[in-house]
Amino acid sequence: MFGNSAMRRRALLAGVVGAAVAPVLGGRAQAAAPKVYIDPGHGGSDSGAIGNGLQEKNLTLAISLQLRDILKANWNVDVRMSRTTDITRSLAWRTDDANAWGANIFVSVHINSGGGTGFESYRYPTASAAAVNLHKALHPRILSGMRSVGTVTDRGLKTANFHVLRETRMPAVLTENLFIDTLADANLLKRAAFITATARGHAQGIAAHLGLTGVAPPAYSVIVDNSTAGRFTAGSNWGTSAYSSQRYGADYHFASPTPASDAAWFKVDIPAAGNYRIEVRHPADPGYNSTTPHVIVTSAGTRTVNVDQRVNGGVWRSLGTFGLAAGDRDLIAVSRWSSSSGYVVADAVRVTRV
Ligand SMILES: [Zn+2]
C-alpha cells in the first residue's frame, strides 16, 4: 500500500519538477545558480558495505567532498550535502532536506557490494524526462573518469525503487561506484586518483545536464585527506581529532612541536613530471602553531614552507607551485620540528597540475 501511494505521489510531482527546472536549463542570463544536492551514502553508525579494509561511508564522503569542491571551483552552482562529516542521517532526513531546500537535482553516491564488479547507476522506474537526462549525462562521464585510472566494467543504466529516488521531488540519480568486496575494485577505490576521477566524472555529468559553461576541471587534481586509505602516515605521538568544525572530512591529526623527525606524510601519485600547485587545508585555532613546517619533495630537492595554523582554517591555502617528478611517493610532510608553541595539524592536501 505504501508503495502505491508513493508512486502516485511521484507521478503527481513529475510535472512540477519539469516546470521548476526549466528556467535553469533555459540558460536565462539572470537565472539563479542551480542548486545541486549531493548525498554521500550512509555515515555515522551506518557504515554501509564493508570489505577489503574499506567502509562504504568513508568512500562516499571522500567522493562527495571532492565533487562539491570541483563543482564550486569551476562553475556557478549552489551545493548542499546531506552530510560533510561522519554522521548518521536517515533516508527520510536526506530527501526531506533536499525537498525543503528546493534542490534542482539530487545525486546520491554509493559503493556496491555482493561480489560483482564495475560501475552502475540508477534512476526511479517512472522517472521524469529530466531525470532520464541527468542519468544519461552522468553515467558515461563517470565511467570514462574511472577508466582514466583503471579497468572498469560498465554494468549499465538501471532503474530501482530506492527511497532517495522515489521521495525526491527533483531529478535524482544514485551511483554505485564499484564493489567494495571485490579485490580488483577495492584496489581502485584505495587510490586517491581513482576517487578524484570518479568525483570529476560526477561533476562533468552534472555540468552537462545543467548546461553549465565555463572552465573545465583541471587535467589533474587530487586531494589526499588524513583519512585516505594508504595515503597518510603518522607516528604514534600524533593524535586524531574531530574537535574543529573546520576539519576536512571526518577528522585531522595533531601533535605537539618537538625537535625530532616525526613528520606526518601525505602520499601522492604524480602522473607525469611537471609543475604542480600544492595546497593544504587545516582547522585553525589560536592555540595552534604559528610556523608549522610543511616539507615538499620536489624534483630539485626538499622545500620547506611554514604555515601559520592559528588563522585561515577550513580553506585551501597555497604553498606555491613546485616542479615534481612522476611517481607514487610520500610527497608532503607536516613536520613537528617547529620552534613555536602550539599543536601542528595535518588534515588534507590538494595537488593540481598547472
Ligand atoms: Zn550504499
Side-chain angles (χ1 to χ4, degrees):
M1 192 194 315
F2 174 77
N4 283 343
S5 119
M7 284 172 74
R8 272 200 302 279
R9 183 170 153 252
R10 176 79 192 186
L12 284 169
L13 288 166
V16 177
V17 168
V21 171
V24 174
L25 294 175
R28 285 184 192 170
Q30 298 305 314
K35 298 167 92 167
V36 177
Y37 197 94
I38 303 170
D39 175 40
H42 312 278
S45 59
D46 170 18
S47 66
I50 55 172
N52 294 299
L54 297 170
Q55 295 188 61
E56 180 181 359
K57 66 175 184 178
N58 296 332
L59 295 166
T60 60
L61 182 60
I63 293 167
S64 298
L65 287 170
Q66 292 200 37
L67 169 55
R68 176 197 64 186
D69 289 352
I70 292 168
L71 283 171
K72 294 191 73 73
N74 292 288
W75 295 287
N76 179 30
V77 289
D78 206 355
V79 178
R80 184 174 172 89
M81 298 175 67
S82 55
R83 65 184 183 97
T84 57
T85 56
D86 184 21
I87 58 171
T88 307
R89 293 286 198 215
S90 70
L91 293 176
W93 192 97
R94 296 166 197 255
T95 52
D96 286 351
D97 189 53
N99 291 339
W101 187 53
N104 293 120
I105 61 169
F106 181 101
V107 178
S108 189
V109 178
H110 286 255
I111 312 296
N112 227 329
S113 67
T117 184
F119 170 68
E120 62 192 25
S121 58
Y122 290 88
R123 66 175 183 266
Y124 192 67
T126 55
S128 66
V132 174
N133 179 292
L134 174 63
H135 197 187
K136 289 180 175 174
L138 279 168
H139 189 93
R141 289 174 176 84
I142 297 168
L143 189 65
S144 82
M146 291 174 164
R147 286 176 169 170
S148 72
V149 177
T151 302
V152 173
T153 300
D154 182 7
R155 301 171 63 88
L157 295 85
K158 302 183 176 183
T159 62
N161 182 20
F162 293 148
H163 175 99
V164 295
L165 302 179
R166 186 183 65 237
E167 300 298 330
T168 39
R169 297 176 195 156
M170 69 287 304
V173 168
L174 182 147
T175 62
E176 291 280 6
N177 301 281
L178 307 195
F179 284 71
I180 204 166
D181 54 350
T182 295
L183 184 60
D185 283 16
N187 285 339
L188 281 175
L189 291 165
K190 288 176 180 175
R191 294 178 59 182
F194 184 83
I195 297 298
T196 300
T198 301
R200 189 180 303 128
H202 280 75
Q204 289 169 331
I206 289 167
H209 169 74
L210 293 173
L212 304 177
T213 55
V215 184
Y220 175 88
S221 182
V222 65
I223 293 171
V224 178
D225 185 28
N226 76 117
S227 63
T228 306
R231 293 274 143 202
F232 179 82
T233 50
S236 58
N237 287 316
W238 286 79
T240 306
S241 175
Y243 168 75
S244 173
S245 62
Q246 293 178 337
R247 66 188 180 274
Y248 185 85
D251 56 21
Y252 52 95
H253 276 69
F254 67 97
S256 299
T258 187
S261 297
D262 184 29
W265 282 95
F266 294 91
K267 187 180 183 188
V268 184
D269 192 358
I270 298 299
N275 290 323
Y276 293 81
R277 182 172 63 252
I278 294 182
E279 297 159 294
V280 296
R281 230 176 123 133
H282 62 87
D285 187 276
Y288 292 169
N289 205 282
S290 62
T291 54
T292 301
H294 288 63
V295 181
I296 301 136
V297 181
T298 78
S299 52
T302 59
R303 293 272 312 276
T304 300
V305 179
N306 288 332
V307 174
D308 185 351
Q309 296 189 315
R310 299 172 304 177
V311 294
N312 295 324
V315 297
W316 289 108
R317 305 180 65 177
S318 178
L319 302 185
T321 297
F322 305 89
L324 302 179
D328 194 8
R329 63 185 175 283
D330 284 337
L331 184 73
I332 302 159
V334 178
S335 171
R336 297 176 64 195
W337 206 310
S338 170
S339 54
S340 307
S341 61
Y343 288 136
V344 298
V345 174
D347 190 1
V349 300
R350 180 164 68 184
V351 180
T352 303
R353 187 159 191 185
V354 295

